[in-house]
Amino acid sequence: MSANLGCVIVAVDGSEESMYALRFALDNLKLRSPAPDSTETPGSFVILHVQPPPSIAAGLNPGAIPFGGPSDLEVPAFTAAIEAHQRRITEAILEHASEICGEKKVNVKIQVVIGDPKEKICEVADNLPADLLVMGSRSFGPIKRMFLGSVSNHCTNHAQCPVIIVKGKDPSS
């Protein structure tokens, strides 16, 4: 693939499919490598992980407390526990991704954002701006995709850069 790629985002979520997409990108994409006398910056891979907000991660949208209690009550200890758990998950995902990248001699940056993966991946790709977005696909069937949505499908239709969807699972996971 082209050797003029300056910024390639690889979205990872810890799944075997996303780690396979990372390996695919590292093995098959050639980043920009400017001449020594050039002012052009070398290309880099951006490993992107999107953490869901604590309320989504817990699967909660707390309802009103019965009998007139406050309806917007947030339990700080519960939220803090969820956030700490999410940080541990994120650290494990990024550690695995870093190990995969360590096998190659490439320029890698890591970025973590919080929000809805569909929206945030496209937002980061647009803001950097990315030359290419690479992501795995979990290959949900039509019923699961209808209820859960497809992050890769959304990004294919909304990202302002080309998108490569890599099918398959990482055999080393």
Side-chain angles (χ1 to χ4, degrees):
M1 186 146 249
S2 174
N4 198 29
L5 294 170
C7 177
V8 175
I9 296 176
V10 182
V12 297
D13 63 4
S15 67
E16 292 177 38
E17 293 86 356
S18 72
M19 295 305 167
Y20 183 72
L22 176 57
R23 284 190 192 280
F24 174 88
L26 293 169
D27 290 343
N28 294 290
L29 301 176
K30 188 164 170 53
L31 298 173
R32 178 175 53 224
S33 182
D37 60 340
S38 173
T39 59
E40 201 172 38
T41 58
S44 64
F45 287 99
V46 175
I47 309 304
L48 174 64
H49 176 67
V50 181
Q51 233 178 263
S55 60
I56 292 174
L60 306 174
N61 189 359
I65 295 174
F67 310 112
S71 61
D72 60 349
L73 180 67
E74 184 177 304
V75 182
F78 186 65
T79 301
I82 292 169
E83 289 171 348
H85 180 68
Q86 286 181 292
R87 277 192 301 277
R88 287 190 299 273
I89 291 170
T90 296
E91 288 168 8
I93 290 168
L94 296 177
E95 183 178 323
H96 186 192
S98 294
E99 287 171 6
I100 292 170
C101 294
E103 299 167 7
K104 310 288 181 186
K105 302 293 183 228
V106 293
N107 185 16
V108 176
K109 299 174 184 175
I110 293 176
Q111 187 167 352
V112 177
V113 294
I114 297 173
D116 177 19
K118 292 177 187 175
E119 301 298 327
K120 290 297 180 177
I121 291 170
C122 292
E123 185 179 302
V124 170
D126 294 346
N127 290 340
L128 280 178
D131 295 314
L132 184 65
L133 171 61
V134 179
M135 55 195 326
S137 172
R138 293 193 182 182
S139 300
F140 287 149
I143 303 297
K144 272 190 179 177
R145 190 169 41 251
M146 181 173 67
F147 288 107
L148 299 176
S150 167
V151 174
S152 58
N153 186 52
H154 179 88
C155 291
T156 300
N157 290 307
H158 293 90
Q160 299 300 309
C161 64
V163 179
I164 293 178
I165 308 298
V166 180
K167 290 191 163 208
K169 292 185 179 183
D170 188 356
S172 67
S173 290

